[in-house]
Amino acid sequence: MSDKMSESALQALKIAFTYMPKAIEVTKYEYGDNYQNTLDHIETVREMLLINDVDPEEVYGDINPESTPNSTY
């Protein structure tokens, strides 16, 4: 069984990922005792993106190219 997603499902996952908090923003203070669960969810989504040959660090720029600064190199 393959974990590869259809293009439309992958696009939906990318969009959802752009609205997720960054792992560094997830603290026990902000998320309470559920913070580890939130971190686990973020990691699961990141892993699925990687399985589908998508760099999680590039997703925001992929989804919102007009809001992403141009590269300087």
Side-chain angles (χ1 to χ4, degrees):
M1 182 175 164
S2 173
D3 283 336
K4 294 284 183 174
M5 302 172 76
S6 69
E7 283 301 314
S8 59
L10 184 56
Q11 184 69 10
L13 184 64
K14 287 176 171 183
I15 291 168
F17 185 70
T18 65
Y19 291 96
M20 292 180 79
K22 304 289 182 243
I24 197 166
E25 300 169 346
V26 178
T27 64
K28 190 170 183 175
Y29 176 76
E30 290 289 325
Y31 287 80
D33 291 335
N34 198 36
Y35 81 100
Q36 188 58 54
N37 193 37
T38 303
L39 288 172
D40 293 343
H41 289 167
I42 294 168
E43 187 57 31
T44 298
V45 172
R46 288 179 62 84
E47 287 174 8
M48 189 55 66
L49 289 169
L50 289 168
I51 287 169
N52 284 274
D53 302 319
V54 175
D55 181 350
E57 302 304 320
E58 301 290 325
V59 169
Y60 185 82
D62 216 23
I63 298 300
N64 300 299
E66 68 285 348
S67 300
T68 305
N70 293 331
S71 175
T72 57
Y73 60 93

